[in-house]
């Protein structure tokens, strides 16, 4: 038949193995395997180039991988059945070359570490898929989502509109995929130690991973340099940082936990003030009125207030604004950035929600009744973690500001919430990395004397 076909159609490329079609392949199993092998070889070359870029710009390389290169793999897996076993070279290149490059470290990527990194960022991973694991399920999902369209093509229907079956199929796919990742996360959490388990849970908080799911857009301040990006990932997973001192300038042993709580150098104040000022700018942008930074509170003048209330005449809160919760009503806010992985919390066996509630309650005991009874306003404690999470009160404020952004600027509510969380996360991330890398001065040794204690009344020479 092949010879006869070639004679009948001399200008047509006749093949008995099959042909590439719409990015996939139609033909024999051997032809399909050859097609996939060529694609894998091409993808490995692309991944090698991306690995070279990662040595200079890891954030750009990571975004290109997640939103570009891996999507091409995923498309072929969705449209071509039985390709998982042909993707082994791709997984090896990802594990042995690309992942060490974006982490800027040479290490043996163990199976457990690789499993964590396959999780989506919202589940505490980096969203670097293992396509060997995902290929068959992605093809199954694709068949289910396109069943109505396939039936319409087979029946030669003159028109097609997405029906309820397709909508339900897509919803089921999302549920099934989320179920898979939740079960995988739960299994990994059982394997991890207390510290690793805590870091994955903190990374899974809403908004904590928005810096990973953002394109590196300079206009919005979403760009991180090589050290910032690699340090951010190291902090996310409690990995050792490169080129850090063994002893802090304050004299204590240096660690990430210590650097993020050490008062020397003023970096804790920088982190707090930068986040406070960012919140103030967002409030002004959504047309809140009379936005003030560090407003003074009215004197108490002997008014009876509950025990523990701050009574000082010079007391200040971080932000005040009108028309946040109610029209013209004055609302007060006080910001606190805690370090949830700190040993002080671990020793008390506090859960992550308890850490936020504990800090919120402490702020309320000091200021709530004074603001209500003296200022006749509202008080909201805004508690954030260095890992990117936030307490319930802060979440309520983010949603309220997003509603105002939607009504004032015409932005969709979901986009507004995402933007505010993303902006706060990047400001917090950058100041957190600064606190780890910032100069706290040189630690004086025992035999060194401070200049102010030296006698400089020297004898004249000659």
């Amino acid at each position: 038949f092949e010879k006869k076909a070639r004679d009948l159609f001399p200008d047509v490329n006749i093949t008995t193995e099959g042909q590439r079609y719409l990015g996939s392949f139609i033909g024999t199993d051997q032809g399909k395997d050859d097609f996939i092998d060529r694609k894998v070889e091409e993808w490995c070359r692309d991944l090698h180039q991306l690995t070279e870029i990662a040595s200079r710009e890891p954030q750009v390389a990571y975004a290109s991988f997640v939103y570009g290169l891996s999507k091409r793999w995923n498309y072929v897996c969705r449209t071509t059945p039985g390709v998982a076993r042909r993707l082994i070279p791709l997984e090896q290149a990802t594990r042995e070359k690309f992942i060490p490059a974006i982490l800027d470290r040479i290490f043996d990527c163990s199976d457990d570490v690789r499993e964590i990194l396959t999780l989506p960022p919202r589940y505490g991973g980096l969203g670097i898929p293992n396509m060997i694991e995902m290929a068959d399920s992605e093809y199954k999902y694709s068949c289910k989502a396109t069943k109505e369209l396939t039936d319409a093509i087979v029946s030669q229907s003159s028109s097609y509109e997405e029906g309820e079956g397709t909508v339900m199929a897509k919803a089921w796919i999302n549920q099934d995929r989320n179920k898979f990742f939740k079960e995988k996360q739960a299994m990994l959490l059982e394997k991890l130690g207390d510290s690793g388990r805590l870091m994955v849970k903190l990374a899974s908080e809403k908004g904590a991973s928005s810096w990973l799911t953002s394109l590196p857009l300079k206009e919005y301040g979403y760009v991180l340099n090589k050290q910032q990006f690699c340090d951010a990932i190291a902090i996310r997973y409690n990995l050792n940082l490169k080129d850090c001192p063994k002893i802090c300038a304050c004299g204590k042993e240096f660690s990430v936990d210590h650097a993020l709580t050490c008062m020397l150098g003023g970096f804790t104040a920088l982190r707090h003030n930068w986040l406070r000022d960012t919140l103030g700018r967002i409030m002004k942008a959504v047309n809140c009125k009379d936005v003030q930074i560090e407003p003074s509170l009215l004197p108490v003048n002997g008014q009876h207030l509950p025990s523990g209330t701050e009574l000082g005449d010079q007391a200040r809160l971080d932000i005040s604004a009108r028309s946040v919760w109610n029209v013209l009503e004055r609302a007060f806010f006080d910001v606190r950035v805690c370090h949830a992985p700190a040993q002080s919390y671990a020793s008390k066996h506090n859960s992550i929600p308890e850490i936020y509630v504990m800090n919120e309650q402490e702020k309320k005991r000091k200021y709530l009744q004074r603001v209500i009874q003296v200022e006749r306003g509202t008080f909201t404690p805004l508690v954030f973690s260095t890992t990117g999470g936030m307490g319930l009160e802060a979440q309520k404020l983010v949603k309220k500001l997003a509603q105002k952004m939607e009504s004032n600027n015409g932005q969709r509510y979901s986009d507004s919430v995402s933007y505010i969380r993303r902006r706060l996360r990047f400001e917090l991330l950058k100041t957190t990395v600064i606190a780890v890398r910032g100069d706290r001065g040189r630690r004086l040794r025992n035999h060194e004397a401070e200049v102010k204690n030296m006698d400089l009344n020297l004898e004249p020479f000659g």
Side-chain angles (χ1 to χ4, degrees):
F1 289 106
E2 181 181 359
K3 184 178 182 306
K4 187 175 181 180
R6 291 183 186 278
D7 292 338
L8 290 172
F9 306 102
D11 297 331
V12 177
N13 182 22
I14 303 296
T15 175
T16 58
E17 291 189 351
Q19 180 65 35
R20 178 182 181 273
Y21 184 73
L22 295 179
S24 183
F25 188 86
I26 299 176
T28 64
D29 289 343
Q30 183 60 48
K32 180 190 68 177
D33 289 346
D34 292 341
F35 168 77
I36 295 298
D37 289 343
R38 290 193 299 271
K39 297 298 289 185
V40 168
E41 185 178 348
E42 175 190 340
W43 294 336
C44 285
R45 288 197 299 268
D46 293 341
L47 190 58
H48 176 71
Q49 294 178 351
L50 208 55
T51 299
E52 292 182 348
I53 295 173
S55 65
R56 304 183 300 273
E57 294 286 349
Q59 185 190 21
V60 173
Y62 171 77
S64 300
F65 178 91
V66 172
Y67 293 108
L69 186 58
S70 66
K71 299 300 183 184
R72 291 160 56 191
W73 310 349
N74 193 272
Y75 175 81
V76 172
C77 291
R78 287 182 176 183
T79 56
T80 313
V83 302
R85 60 189 176 87
R86 317 301 301 184
L87 303 177
I88 294 176
L90 198 59
E91 171 58 20
Q92 289 176 339
T94 303
R95 178 186 289 220
E96 298 172 5
K97 301 295 183 182
F98 182 71
I99 291 176
I102 64 168
L103 297 181
D104 191 29
R105 61 186 64 225
I106 299 173
F107 77 111
D108 181 19
C109 186
S110 66
D111 290 341
D112 287 344
V113 171
R114 182 67 183 102
E115 289 296 304
I116 291 173
L117 300 186
T118 62
L119 294 172
R122 67 182 182 277
Y123 289 109
L126 291 183
I128 301 177
N130 181 348
M131 295 312 301
I132 299 174
E133 177 185 55
M134 301 299 298
D136 291 339
S137 59
E138 287 298 319
Y139 181 75
K140 179 187 71 174
Y141 291 152
S142 178
C143 290
K144 191 174 186 66
T146 58
K147 186 179 184 306
E148 285 189 347
L149 177 60
T150 303
D151 293 343
I153 294 173
V154 171
S155 64
Q156 293 293 288
S157 176
S158 59
S159 63
Y160 169 76
E161 291 184 4
E162 187 175 280
E164 184 179 352
T166 300
V167 174
M168 293 177 63
K170 290 180 178 180
W172 179 87
I173 290 169
N174 287 332
Q175 292 175 0
D176 191 67
R177 188 180 279 123
N178 285 329
K179 178 183 177 183
F180 169 79
F181 286 123
K182 285 181 180 179
E183 291 175 350
K184 187 174 183 179
Q185 183 197 50
M187 179 189 67
L188 290 170
L189 289 175
E190 291 180 0
K191 293 182 180 180
L192 296 173
D194 291 340
S195 176
R197 189 180 302 116
L198 175 62
M199 298 311 293
V200 171
K201 287 182 177 180
L202 288 169
S204 304
E205 288 191 276
K206 187 176 290 294
S209 299
S210 56
W211 65 279
L212 284 168
T213 58
S214 303
L215 293 174
L217 302 175
K218 185 176 181 179
E219 179 183 358
Y220 296 99
Y222 295 165
V223 176
L224 303 173
N225 64 31
K226 177 180 178 179
Q227 187 176 72
Q228 288 174 322
F229 185 81
C230 295
D231 283 354
I233 291 182
I235 293 171
R236 179 179 174 88
Y237 296 114
N238 200 26
L239 304 175
N240 293 327
L241 293 176
K242 297 175 63 176
D243 304 322
C244 284
K246 293 183 178 179
I247 303 297
C248 179
C250 70
K252 295 183 179 179
E253 183 178 355
F254 183 89
S255 66
V256 171
D257 287 347
H258 172 75
L260 295 179
T261 55
C262 180
M263 304 302 292
L264 188 63
F267 297 114
T268 54
L270 171 67
R271 185 170 63 225
H272 168 275
N273 294 345
W274 197 259
L275 193 61
R276 174 202 65 196
D277 294 347
T278 300
L279 283 165
R281 287 191 288 269
I282 293 174
M283 289 180 184
K284 290 180 180 179
V286 299
N287 288 334
C288 294
K289 307 301 181 184
D290 190 24
V291 179
Q292 298 182 34
I293 301 298
E294 292 194 344
S296 298
L297 298 181
L298 295 174
V300 175
N301 292 334
Q303 187 169 346
H304 178 71
L305 294 171
S307 175
T309 301
E310 174 61 53
L311 302 176
D313 289 342
Q314 302 300 317
R316 294 173 179 267
L317 289 173
D318 285 325
I319 309 170
S320 71
R322 295 186 185 275
S323 300
V324 177
W325 306 114
N326 300 300
V327 178
L328 297 183
E329 180 185 60
R330 196 176 188 191
F332 291 83
F333 306 90
D334 207 49
V335 176
R336 172 172 289 181
V337 182
C338 65
H339 182 53
Q343 185 60 36
S344 57
Y345 295 124
S347 61
K348 298 175 183 177
H349 304 288
N350 294 118
S351 66
I352 296 173
E354 288 173 345
I355 292 173
Y356 293 121
V357 171
M358 181 175 64
N359 283 281
E360 289 172 348
Q361 292 299 326
E362 184 178 337
K363 288 286 187 183
K364 287 181 178 180
R365 281 194 296 271
K366 291 182 68 175
Y367 297 110
L368 179 60
Q369 290 303 316
R370 177 167 179 172
V371 170
I372 291 175
Q373 297 186 35
V374 179
E375 300 285 345
R376 294 291 190 261
T378 63
F379 173 70
T380 305
L382 306 176
V383 180
F384 299 84
S385 170
T386 55
T387 54
M390 63 182 75
L392 288 176
E393 300 282 2
Q395 292 181 34
K396 292 177 183 178
L397 176 64
V398 167
K399 293 176 181 178
K400 187 64 176 180
L401 295 178
Q403 291 174 358
K404 289 183 172 295
M405 186 174 290
E406 179 185 31
S407 60
N408 293 329
N409 302 338
Q411 301 288 342
R412 289 191 306 177
Y413 173 75
S414 58
D415 292 338
S416 300
V417 169
S418 177
Y419 167 74
I420 295 172
R421 284 180 179 149
R422 210 174 295 269
R423 184 171 175 184
L424 294 175
R425 182 65 186 107
F426 268 97
E427 303 299 350
L428 187 56
L429 177 67
K430 290 177 180 178
T431 52
T432 296
V433 173
I434 290 173
V436 173
R437 293 290 182 180
D439 180 37
R440 290 179 167 83
R442 189 165 67 91
R443 186 170 67 93
L444 293 174
R445 301 182 184 277
N446 293 334
H447 64 274
E448 293 178 335
E450 294 189 34
V451 174
K452 66 180 181 180
N453 295 327
M454 294 178 64
D455 183 4
L456 299 179
N457 186 21
L458 305 177
E459 292 292 332
F461 178 75

